Amino acid sequence: MRWMRIAKLSAALAVLATVAIGALPALHWVKTELRSRAERPDPVIATPDETRAILGVVLERMKFVGVPPPPPGPGRSPHPQPERILILADQSLCFGEARRPDCVSQSAERLLSPELDTFARRKLHAELVAANQARRQLDLSGIPGTQVVRSSEIQRILADGWWDDFYERHPGTSGFAQISQPVLTRDRKRALIYVAHHCDGLCGTGTIHLLVRAGSSWRVAKEKILWIS
């Protein structure tokens, strides 16, 4: 009967081997699926209070001054310039499809460029783009040195006239800024925001900022200019 025990043991081992071999692809699929889910954009959008706090820190650091004043005449000293107000558009930027006229698809391409993989996690960049697929109303009131204006009004002024009309309507300002909805990491300790500043046809920048929460406030950890005119 010894040969029967050997046969049964061999059969059992064969079954176990088959199960183990079959489990390998399944295990690989599970690991791949979990990794894929972890890398899919799942944006955590900043609250209005967080957005104002984040933007306030960024603007304090950037100090957008707008078009520089003309140089003084010969033999004259430059006059001190009063602090300029920055106009803030009341709607967020849109990084949606290129065929949508109200979206800035070029900015999305820049934000997802492999060159920025060392700036912040690629997933966070993807979440910034995913969170800004359409324009959203923003509550940006109360940020020092700023004035909130309807995005439609800014667009109308620049469409009907140009920058002379803008500064005639908003004198003593440093142009206007549009921002993305900021996104946060899952633990809400890091934030990513994109800011586009426009002050004339050849005056403006597009910048991305990575912030870190420090207690109840924020600080800018990294910043990068994506375009300049």
Side-chain angles (χ1 to χ4, degrees):
M1 302 298 291
R2 182 179 178 185
W3 65 271
M4 293 184 64
R5 289 197 299 270
I6 294 175
K8 289 181 179 179
L9 180 60
S10 299
L13 290 175
V15 171
L16 290 174
T18 302
V19 171
I21 293 172
L24 289 176
L27 181 61
H28 176 73
W29 179 86
V30 170
K31 290 182 177 179
T32 302
E33 180 65 15
L34 290 175
R35 188 182 305 112
S36 175
R37 291 184 182 182
E39 293 173 354
R40 290 174 190 167
D42 184 17
V44 177
I45 300 175
T47 66
D49 286 343
E50 289 171 325
T51 298
R52 287 189 294 269
I54 289 167
L55 181 58
V57 171
V58 169
L59 296 183
E60 175 63 25
R61 183 179 179 89
M62 294 300 293
K63 298 187 183 299
F64 295 120
V65 296
V67 178
R76 295 187 177 182
S77 301
H79 295 290
Q81 296 296 315
E83 185 175 351
R84 298 179 179 181
I85 294 295
L86 176 66
I87 300 296
L88 296 178
D90 72 339
Q91 288 186 328
S92 62
L93 284 166
C94 172
F95 301 142
E97 299 177 2
R99 65 174 178 267
R100 293 186 57 178
D102 61 337
C103 289
V104 190
S105 59
Q106 296 89 345
S107 296
E109 295 170 4
R110 294 188 181 101
L111 290 169
L112 296 176
S113 169
E115 298 177 0
L116 292 179
D117 286 352
T118 58
F119 185 85
R121 290 183 58 192
R122 186 171 184 81
K123 180 183 178 183
L124 194 59
H125 288 278
E127 288 173 340
L128 183 67
V129 173
N132 291 275
Q133 289 297 294
R135 291 184 181 273
R136 294 287 186 267
Q137 195 70 26
L138 299 171
D139 181 3
L140 303 178
S141 59
I143 300 176
T146 68
Q147 176 186 344
V148 181
V149 173
R150 290 182 179 178
S151 297
S152 58
E153 177 186 330
I154 297 172
Q155 294 170 3
R156 179 175 52 77
I157 293 173
L158 295 179
D160 295 343
W162 195 230
W163 282 100
D164 288 342
D165 294 335
F166 176 86
Y167 287 116
E168 182 178 349
R169 183 68 179 270
H170 300 288
T173 64
S174 57
F176 71 93
Q178 299 168 290
I179 72 165
S180 68
Q181 292 188 111
V183 293
L184 310 178
T185 52
R186 305 301 299 181
D187 59 6
R188 309 188 83 90
K189 291 183 178 179
R190 290 176 178 267
L192 197 64
I193 185 174
Y194 174 85
V195 179
H197 173 235
H198 307 272
C199 42
D200 205 338
L202 294 175
C203 174
T205 56
T207 54
I208 187 171
H209 307 264
L210 178 68
L211 295 91
V212 177
R213 193 188 292 270
S216 59
S217 59
W218 293 88
R219 66 174 179 85
V220 176
K222 295 181 182 179
E223 60 191 28
K224 185 177 181 62
I225 297 176
L226 299 186
W227 59 266
I228 187 169
S229 62

